[in-house]
Amino acid sequence: MSTPQGTRPPTGATPVPGRTSDGTGAASPGRPTSRTLRLRRVMALVLLAVIVIGVVMLVRAAIAFGAGLLADEPQGKVAPPEPQEVSATGYKACQAKDVTLWLAASKTEYAVGEKPTFTTTLTHVGHRPCLIDASTAVQAITITSGTDRIWSSADCPAASKDLLMAPGDVWTETVTWNRDRSAPECATGLPGTQPGSYSVVAASNEAEGMTSPAVPFTLVAPAPPPEAPPATEAPAEGEPPADGTEVPAEGAEPPADGATAPEDGATAPEGDAPQG
């Protein structure tokens, strides 16, 4: 009797997915091995550790930098560094585009005997350091009254003051005017100044175009002396005094009791006649 077909499984094992058909058990080429997975995990941990260490170092550096700024920087605005007085050469001379010149007067009106003072300010506004002579003989202050040149700080020689100015540097200088006139080579015997309106300006003798705006000021005139009271004039001859008192006639003596003497031809009152 024959066995029905399909009731018995076919001989041989059925191929398992992921294995080769020869039954050796080798892994499929599309799936990484356990060794590869372990290596990838180690590399990922190392990379994560490097990132964490870098972030920590960056945070520490930022904290240290900020602490240094807070320790060095005072409250409020930090003043720019002072320009350095130098004697060495090798730097270019400052020009009007590198440095600005400003002048200010201490007051607009000066009383009699009060000496005006003026302050010049040099400010570096360029991009590179430059050399400039900041002496009053070069940064000259000149006072005029109309077209009359009154005084200049450059008239008397002064020692040079070479400054090496960097961007942001500020240099100030204060000059007092003794209210006298001046002339080149410190000439003497000049006439004095008078009260009135004046103008002062600062200008550089070595940098063309470096000039401050003009500043007006006034020398006040002294107060006039007080007026004396008018003198009293004596009355003219024949006129009564201004106060109404009568002047006795010439040669007549005033009565002893102070009564007014009778006019000529007038009868004396009764009881006043002399007794014989």
Side-chain angles (χ1 to χ4, degrees):
M1 204 170 124
S2 61
T3 304
Q5 293 185 3
T7 59
R8 296 180 61 185
T11 59
T14 304
V16 178
R19 295 177 180 272
T20 56
S21 58
D22 57 357
T24 58
S28 172
R31 183 178 182 183
T33 63
S34 59
R35 181 180 179 183
T36 302
L37 293 176
R38 286 195 300 270
L39 183 60
R40 289 181 179 178
R41 291 192 186 98
V42 171
M43 292 179 64
L45 291 175
V46 171
L47 181 60
L48 180 61
V50 171
I51 293 175
V52 171
I53 293 174
V55 171
V56 171
M57 293 179 65
L58 183 61
V59 171
R60 287 183 177 179
I63 294 174
F65 181 73
L69 289 179
L70 293 177
D72 296 338
E73 184 176 356
Q75 296 276 336
K77 185 179 179 181
V78 179
E82 290 291 335
Q84 302 177 8
E85 292 193 39
V86 296
S87 57
T89 57
Y91 293 92
K92 71 166 187 174
C94 294
Q95 301 177 6
K97 65 182 180 64
D98 302 316
V99 179
T100 60
L101 178 59
W102 190 262
L103 180 139
S106 58
K107 298 173 67 176
T108 58
E109 292 185 351
Y110 297 92
V112 177
E114 190 176 9
K115 296 180 179 180
T117 57
F118 311 108
T119 301
T120 58
T121 302
L122 288 170
T123 305
H124 193 296
V125 295
H127 301 288
R128 295 183 180 181
C130 61
L131 196 65
I132 190 170
D133 186 350
S135 65
T136 55
V138 176
Q139 309 301 326
I141 300 174
T142 304
I143 299 174
T144 57
S145 179
T147 58
D148 189 7
R149 181 183 183 273
I150 304 297
W151 180 87
S152 176
S153 63
D155 286 340
C156 293
S160 62
K161 189 180 295 181
D162 293 331
L163 300 180
L164 178 59
M165 299 190 71
D169 284 350
V170 178
W171 177 269
T172 59
E173 188 86 9
T174 300
V175 175
T176 301
W177 179 39
N178 59 5
R179 300 175 70 125
D180 292 336
R181 284 179 176 265
S182 70
E185 303 301 328
C186 280
T188 59
L190 301 174
T193 56
Q194 300 296 326
S197 299
Y198 293 82
S199 179
V200 60
V201 67
S204 174
N205 294 332
E206 68 174 7
E208 184 179 358
M210 190 185 299
T211 304
S212 74
V215 177
F217 67 95
T218 303
L219 298 183
V220 180
E227 294 184 0
T232 305
E233 297 182 358
E237 190 175 349
E239 293 183 1
D243 56 1
T245 58
E246 295 183 1
V247 180
E250 241 180 86
E253 294 183 0
D257 58 358
T260 304
E263 296 180 359
D264 294 343
T267 304
E270 292 183 2
D272 290 339
Q275 300 187 9

